Every structure is written in structure tokens, then in C-alpha cells.
Amino acid sequence: MKGKKVVITGIPGVGKTTVITGAIENLMNEGIPFQSINFGTFMFEMAEKEELVKDRDQMRTLDRSIQKELQARAAENIRNIDGNVIVDTHASVKTSQGFLAGLPQWVLQALSPDSIVLVEADCDQILLRRLSDESRTRDMEGSRSIEDHQQFNRSIAAAYSAMSGCTVIIVKNHNGLLNQAVEDLVKAIR
Ligand code: AP5
């Protein structure tokens, strides 16, 4: 049984997982079931088992060849999941060796999404969310650098669209307007 495949991205701290959780609940209430698959969790479970990392935030510090190998294996595992699926992942990952494409050609081909969603927020708000999230080892960087990353993600999403024919959707997740972001995501993917 095939269904819709939607890839949802957003830079760390933008709140993509929070927005996805709300959207899945609303869609379920409308009788449109979606399951959410976290791409990073697939990578982390393999990396942890192979004793490469102790927490998920260490993955972006691994050598890029190892990150790419984990990425390809995660995509292969996700390829055959049927039904309506949201893949929670990254358009690009900021590493010490430069931006790493989250959906290089082989990953894009395996996931074959109908749409790619970019969840965005104001850079200062993202910075504050990272600072107040004690559960994770968030990268600390300035607003300008966060802005550059969001810009890069728009550019690379355009490339993904050109390569695969998927649409690109932008959802804003402003402070205090989570419900609006959830509703915008539901409208875009239902
Ligand atoms: P992953 O765990 O997906 O990374 P992440 O970006 O850190 O994901 P989170 O879900 O924690 O961040 P989020 O921004 O969605 O935040 P949250 O909803 O918690 O991936 C882990 C790793 O896997 C990556 O670093 C990478 O190494 C690897 N990886 C994954 N995909 C890959 C790929 N394709 N290729 C290569 N590597 C890959 O929200 C954050 C905070 O904001 C919360 O405190 C929340 O309460 C708050 N918040 C949210 N919305 C609002 C709002 N509207 N107003 C106020 N506060 C809000």
C-alpha cells in the first residue's frame, strides 16, 4: 500500500518535531493517519550500536564519509515503509567540514518525496530556543550564521525539487504561534 511521502526539514531548534507532532494529531482527528519517521534516529541507532557516538548530537561531528554511509543506510531502511509517512530530517547538516546535503541524490531517490517542507523561524527565536533546550547539545552560533543556514536550505530545497519533481513548502513557526504552524503544515500535506 503506497501513500504520501512528505519530508520535513528545519534547522536545529526551529521546532520541526514539535510542529510535526501537532500536525500528526490533527490529521489523525480528521481520519488521515500519518506516521512520523525520524531519519536521525535511524542513523543514531546504527551509530550507537557500532560505538561511533554516545548521543545524537555527536553524529554531525563524525567524518563526512561516515555520516554519508549512515545516511545511505538509513534511507534504504526507510525506502520501503508504506502508508502516509512524514520523514523528519534535515535539508542540510552543518558540519565542521561544511554543509552536508541531507538529501543527496541517492537519499532523494530512496525517499522519493511528494513534497519537502522547510520549517523556518526568526533567527533570534531559534537562538533562544537552542539556549533554553537543556536536553540536547545544541550548536551555539550567532543569528547571522543561523540565517545563512536557513538561506542555504532554501537553495538546496530548490535543487531537490528540480532533481525529483517534488514541491517545496515553507511553514513559519513563530514564537507563540505554534497552532498556526501546525495548521499550515496540515493544510499543505493533507
Ligand atoms: P534530529 O534529532 O532530527 O535533529 P534536530 O534538528 O536537533 O531535531 P529536533 O527535533 O531536536 O529539533 P527541532 O528543531 O525539531 O526542535 P524541537 O521540536 O525539539 O537529527 C539528529 C541528527 O541526525 C542531526 O544532527 C544529524 O547529525 C543527523 N541527521 C538527521 N537527518 C540527516 C540527514 N538527512 N543527513 C545526514 N544527517 C542527518 O523544538 C526545539 C525547541 O523549540 C523546544 O524546546 C520547543 O518547545 C520549542 N518550540 C518549538 N516551537 C515553538 C514555538 N512556536 N514557540 C516557542 N517555542 C517553540
Side-chain angles (χ1 to χ4, degrees):
M1 182 192 63
K2 282 282 164 208
K4 274 193 189 164
K5 187 84 66 73
V6 182
V7 166
I8 305 204
T9 69
I11 72 169
V14 79
K16 73 189 153 57
T17 303
T18 308
V19 178
I20 290 170
T21 305
I24 293 220
E25 200 182 311
N26 287 11
L27 285 161
M28 192 65 83
N29 290 339
E30 291 183 20
I32 311 171
F34 263 87
Q35 65 170 313
S36 172
I37 308 284
N38 189 300
F39 197 97
T41 299
F42 271 80
M43 288 177 61
F44 176 59
E45 282 173 1
M46 292 185 280
E48 190 185 33
K49 206 165 164 190
E50 290 161 30
E51 299 184 354
L52 296 169
V53 294
K54 289 199 171 66
D55 73 64
R56 57 198 297 122
D57 289 304
Q58 279 176 355
M59 285 197 295
R60 55 184 179 273
T61 67
L62 291 169
D63 187 84
R64 68 188 148 199
S65 61
I66 299 173
Q67 292 186 60
K68 282 200 271 192
E69 199 211 311
L70 291 167
Q71 185 187 51
R73 286 161 64 198
E76 275 313 305
N77 287 333
I78 294 170
R79 179 197 281 274
N80 295 318
I81 298 176
D82 279 338
N84 294 327
V85 176
I86 285 176
V87 182
D88 177 346
T89 186
H90 289 275
S92 70
V93 178
K94 201 175 231 180
T95 77
S96 59
Q97 297 155 315
F99 287 120
L100 179 80
L103 306 166
Q105 185 258 326
W106 53 93
V107 173
L108 198 55
Q109 205 167 14
L111 299 185
S112 189
D114 299 290
S115 304
I116 294 181
V117 178
L118 299 172
V119 180
E120 295 182 346
D122 291 343
C123 303
D124 293 340
Q125 293 177 359
I126 294 173
L127 190 59
L128 286 176
R129 288 177 202 168
R130 286 187 190 173
L131 284 169
S132 46
D133 185 357
E134 288 174 1
S135 67
R136 300 284 299 269
T137 314
R138 301 286 189 186
D139 287 344
M140 285 309 148
E141 52 185 343
S143 301
R144 194 165 292 173
S145 174
I146 290 175
E147 168 94 47
D148 287 346
H149 195 179
Q150 289 202 123
Q151 284 294 343
F152 184 82
N153 281 351
R154 281 198 180 197
S155 308
I156 204 164
Y160 297 151
S161 174
M163 279 159 71
S164 72
C166 70
T167 58
V168 175
I169 297 157
I170 294 172
V171 169
K172 296 284 185 185
N173 180 29
H174 297 301
N175 268 4
L177 293 173
L178 178 61
N179 287 345
Q180 183 65 53
V182 168
E183 202 36 56
D184 289 346
L185 180 57
V186 167
K187 260 193 233 146
I189 67 175
R190 74 155 64 89

